[in-house]
Amino acid sequence: MPIMTIDDLQRILVSCAGEDDATATVTDSAGRRFDDLGYDSLALMETAARIEQEFGVKLPDDEVNDARTPQELLDLVNGRLATA
Amino acid sequence: MTGPHHEPVYVTGIGVIAPNGLGAQQYWDATLEGRSGIAPLTRFDASAYPAALAGQISGFEPKDHIPGRLLPQTDVSTRFALAAADWALTDAKVDAGSLVDYEMGVVTSNASGGFDFTHREFNKLWAQGPQLVSVYESFAWFYAVNTGQISIRHGMRGPSSALVADQAGGLDAIGHARRTARRGTRLVVAGGVDSAFDPWGWVSHLSSGGVSQVTDPARAYTPFDSAAAGWIPGEGGAILVLERAEAARARGESQIYGEIAGYASTFDPPPGSPRPPGLRRAAELALADAGVTPAEVDVVFADAAGLAGLDRAEAAAITGIFGPHGVPVTAPKALTGRLLSGGGPLDVVSALLSIRDGVLPATAGTEDVPGDYGLDLVLHEPRAARVATALILARGRWGFNSAVVVRAVRD
Amino acid sequence: MTRRVVVTGIGVRAPGGRGVKEFWDLLTAGRTATRRISFFDPSPYRSQVAAEIDFDAESEGLTPREIRRMDRAAQFAVVCARDAVADSGLDFAATDPHRVGVSLGSAVAAATSLEREYRVLSGDGAAWEVDHRYLSPHMYDYLVPSVMPAEVAWTVGAEGPAAMVSNGCTSGIDAVGHAVQLIREGSADVMVTGASDTPITPIVVACFDAIKATTPRNDDPEHASRPFDASRTGFVLAEGAAVFVLEEYESARRRGAHVYAEISGYATRCNAYHMTGLKTDGREMAEAIRSALDESRLDGTAIDYINAHGSGTKQNDRHETAAFKRSLGDHAYRTPISSIKSMVGHSLGAIGSIEIAASLLAIEHGVVPPTANLHSADPECDLDYVPLTARERRLDAVLTVGSGFGGFQSAMVLRRPEGATA
């Protein structure tokens, strides 16, 4: 049972990096690359920091960098939470 | 003189974001009709502070003007600057994508940085810890943020800069933009926008000692009045599109509001020095730079500090050049408050629109100008006048003086 | 007839020594001035190292009133200005103040004082609506930091054009470039110009932590700044200042002034790409370099030394290496390049001026300062970065560059004065 859901990620991404009307929500595009969704490295750093605070999890920089899609980031977070 | 270093530089686009109007036309209509943007602060409860009137921008909905992705990373002042730059480029009918990136630059002035944004980050740091500080703080705060964000948004890669000189800095940005254009950049987006109306920013304004504590919005900021009691801080400003004359004519698509014909800046001697202050000299240097005699100047847009000592000093500088009652003087900023880096550029806009419409805006609120000031201040109502040349003055705290001369361009 | 601009006076406060001589000794010895942060307890922070200055305002000749009034960055600027004026030998009292201007760079300006006042006004963040009863009478000057060039203008008696140039991390080059333009166009004959920044304060450390731009190498502070090395992990925050006296060449020559160098070219460009990110191709920095060379009427092959931005972030080192190749071609491989940030860290808006000072001294002494802590270069950084040891070399033309947030890319060319020997 995942602790962080795709809706949580959507909410945090919007709060940290904003949203454009034109872009699809990550809920619909969990497998698309962050680049294609318009999220740059700063946006992901801000998002990772927010997830760390909210879910009390530590996300190593290189593993965050390796997460290229919302689904991969979600898997990373939930994997970490499961082993914590 | 001719040659690239003396080629005229024109204003072809205007973007205004002012307490009494969003966009140049709204601002100008409000200014001619005497509608003020000075009112009690609503962004937070300022009632516990010694002063609570401000020239606050209202009706600006950021998401209507700024891409969603830029909202989390921008201070309110940068949103204003981005919107004003958009409006100016639209007004000039510039399609930035069709011009060479290195031939477009951005020069803005900024006095207080992204202060509301940085206050929030200071608050997170001290209340919750360093891990809470945003990745965006590293650039949302600094004084170059508006130049950088405008450059990115419009793909402008030419020579660019950010200048800080308190309320005088906005004219310096326009002067430096003209310099940049003359040195070879065909188009420069230039001006200034400021805002610091979070509680910390607000009390910082108050610490200057010059903010009016009069509670009647109509009487709080009355420059050159015998009852002048200080100024009201405002937010916003103006962004202009400057183009080299040949480039503007070659593009041929936009109106030409006028020429930035002269510019100069000076600094006062140290406090207590018997040497004279530098405002008059800045004005004279700007007139000389424009090749204009005092008799040719149709109006002066004053710095208009709203404190007796500073008002008297400015009146002396003006009458020293033009003689007593020698030129109409006005201060439309009585309707907006003093906008820091935005003040000079907004006055340049007013001067250009005075040229366009043949009308001088009034200095709202001011009733009784001491006779010994020797000023022909435009009072109560706008005054119809043929305007071909205008002088704009600005002073910054501690001794910064800048002056710009704008001139009509007749085909 | 174009007016030419020369440097006749230098004042420096950099980490690891007081004044120009100690600064140059540190650089040529390849010593580092980075250490664990001592100004506050850095243990809650990701990056805990910095290049701090042991600055004693009183022994620097500042009065108690000046010390109370001025932010630390303004204090640095003022003492550097005094040094530069003395070094220039120019009699400022006999110089028309109207023809003397000030152009001072800073990225975060009064950050130190802002943080101090914030803590007082808010009760360490307890109150959003801060308590104005604790307001410092100087708070406005921390909100609007143009008091810094004002203090310098009062110090030297300048009444010409004065302003702060605040272009983030290129401020130190751009402020001096601005001054050069003012002398060339005739707006001033003398400019007192340079830059100062004192950012070693919690908010600034925290904001670079957040973007992971500063190094987390906390276990070995003396070797934490490693530009171009494969093991680098980010820059080391620093503080400092450098201020110069610039003069119109003919008048400097007539009075027999000692001339360090001519500033023959300056240019800046924006990348219009990202507020913090850099493209790998170095295109805009290369364009700034080419433009500064054009203004100097020099071919790229004339450059004898490049004083690099060399911050020690992976993206910068690669971006910059690409820019040198793009602008200088094969000559880039034959040119010694070094980063003094390896020794004195990255003092944001100030470092560009400190690097100009290093470049002037390199010309003066015929010595290229090294890049400290460079043992094994990043394979993608394949130029000559002068590792560890200074080199003697006659330098006729030096290029110094800067790169910063907002996308600013700046370049300046300094030339040995005619007839000088070294």
Side-chain angles (χ1 to χ4, degrees), chain A residues 60-75:
Chain A
D61 298 349
D62 47 349
E63 292 187 32
V64 172
N65 290 339
D66 289 345
R68 297 186 186 280
T69 67
Q71 190 61 51
E72 286 177 21
L73 182 57
L74 203 57
D75 292 346

Side-chain angles (χ1 to χ4, degrees), chain B residues 48-118:
Chain B
Y49 297 130
L53 290 178
Q56 187 178 282
I57 287 171
S58 54
F60 180 83
E61 183 52 57
K63 67 174 169 27
D64 295 345
H65 303 285
I66 308 295
R69 293 298 168 86
L70 282 177
L71 293 177
Q73 61 172 270
T74 44
D75 179 67
V76 56
S77 58
T78 300
R79 296 172 185 173
F80 290 165
L82 282 165
D86 280 0
W87 298 339
L89 287 162
T90 301
D91 185 41
K93 302 185 179 66
V94 169
D95 172 14
S98 70
L99 299 176
V100 177
D101 54 357
Y102 290 134
E103 293 185 357
M104 300 177 286
V106 184
V107 179
T108 66
S109 180
N110 193 322
S112 57
F115 206 77
D116 179 305
F117 194 105
T118 206

Side-chain angles (χ1 to χ4, degrees), chain B residues 342-383:
Chain B
L346 189 59
D347 280 342
V348 168
V349 168
S350 299
L352 291 167
L353 297 178
S354 291
I355 289 172
R356 185 189 71 183
D357 294 347
V359 61
L360 305 179
T363 307
T366 298
E367 296 289 342
D368 172 45
V369 181
D372 62 344
Y373 282 8
L375 291 184
D376 171 16
L377 199 68
V378 182
L379 295 174
H380 308 301
E381 295 291 330
R383 187 188 296 179

Side-chain angles (χ1 to χ4, degrees), chain B residues 48-49 101 111 123 126 131 144 157 161-162 164 166 179 183 203-204 207 267 275 281 340 397-398 400, chain C residues 44 98 115 118 125 130 132 135 139-141 143 146 159-160 164 166-167 181-182 185 269-271 283 295:
Chain B
Y49 297 130
D101 54 357
N123 182 258
W126 287 100
Q131 286 72 30
R157 299 192 169 88
S161 195
V164 184
D166 195 56
R179 176 183 295 124
R183 290 172 54 84
V203 301
S204 302
S207 76
F267 193 76
R275 296 172 55 81
R281 191 161 45 86
L340 296 176
R397 183 174 172 86
W398 299 123
F400 298 89
Chain C
H98 294 172
E115 187 134 28
Y118 176 71
V130 298
H132 69 279
L135 200 51
M139 185 59 227
Y140 185 87
D141 299 322
L143 173 75
S146 40
E159 297 177 29
M164 171 178 282
S166 190
N167 295 353
Q181 292 181 357
L182 293 181
E185 73 185 20
R269 296 291 183 272
C270 277
N271 68 16
R283 176 180 176 264
E295 194 174 281

Side-chain angles (χ1 to χ4, degrees), chain C residues 147-367:
Chain C
V147 70
M148 216 159 113
E151 290 279 5
V152 170
W154 295 332
T155 297
V156 304
E159 297 177 29
M164 171 178 282
V165 176
S166 190
N167 295 353
C169 294
T170 62
S171 301
I173 295 182
D174 295 335
V176 177
H178 191 75
V180 170
Q181 292 181 357
L182 293 181
I183 294 179
R184 284 222 183 114
E185 73 185 20
S187 296
D189 296 325
V190 176
M191 289 292 296
V192 178
T193 180
S196 180
D197 248 324
T198 55
I200 306 171
T201 182
I203 187 68
V204 179
V205 171
C207 79
F208 287 118
D209 271 5
I211 53 170
K212 307 184 201 307
T214 40
T215 182
R217 188 185 293 279
N218 297 323
D219 53 351
D220 185 11
E222 291 77 17
H223 305 104
S225 182
R226 303 180 166 210
F228 304 112
D229 195 273
S231 67
R232 70 194 169 318
T233 49
F235 75 83
V236 172
L237 190 63
E239 59 178 352
V243 175
F244 311 99
V245 173
L246 267 48
E247 295 179 63
E248 190 274 316
Y249 169 70
E250 285 301 328
S251 61
R253 193 182 57 80
R254 274 198 304 274
R255 75 176 180 89
H258 171 70
V259 170
Y260 286 95
E262 177 183 1
I263 300 179
S264 58
Y266 156 72
T268 186
R269 296 291 183 272
C270 277
N271 68 16
Y273 170 65
H274 194 273
M275 287 301 283
T276 65
L278 296 168
K279 285 178 296 179
T280 51
D281 63 10
R283 176 180 176 264
E284 294 79 19
M285 181 185 275
E287 178 65 18
I289 293 170
R290 277 194 292 258
S291 177
L293 285 166
D294 279 354
E295 194 174 281
S296 302
R297 296 200 174 85
L298 284 180
D299 185 80
T301 56
I303 296 299
D304 299 312
Y305 163 52
I306 301 173
N307 185 287
H309 182 66
S311 62
T313 65
K314 191 191 282 182
Q315 73 162 0
N316 171 78
D317 294 354
R318 293 180 177 177
H319 167 265
E320 187 169 23
T321 296
F324 298 151
K325 293 177 186 174
R326 201 180 172 105
S327 55
L328 302 183
D330 286 347
H331 186 67
Y333 291 90
R334 298 189 292 268
T335 307
I337 300 165
S338 67
S339 168
I340 67 165
K341 291 187 183 75
S342 60
M343 298 173 273
V344 298
H346 185 0
S347 44
L348 306 186
I351 192 66
S353 285
I354 295 172
E355 288 169 345
I356 290 171
S359 301
L360 294 167
L361 296 166
I363 292 172
E364 172 101 349
H365 297 289
V367 174

Side-chain angles (χ1 to χ4, degrees), chain B residues 105-111 113 142-149 159-165 169-170 172-174 176-177 180 189-192 341, chain C residues 103-107 163-168 170-171 174-175 178 266 268 270 405-406 408:
Chain B
V106 184
V107 179
T108 66
S109 180
N110 193 322
F142 80 146
Y143 306 91
V145 62
N146 296 342
T147 291
Q149 291 280 22
S160 298
S161 195
L163 300 172
V164 184
D172 295 334
I174 289 171
H176 186 57
T180 301
V189 173
S341 70
Chain C
S103 167
L104 203 68
S106 192
M164 171 178 282
V165 176
S166 190
N167 295 353
T170 62
S171 301
D174 295 335
H178 191 75
Y266 156 72
T268 186
C270 277
F405 286 4
F408 295 94

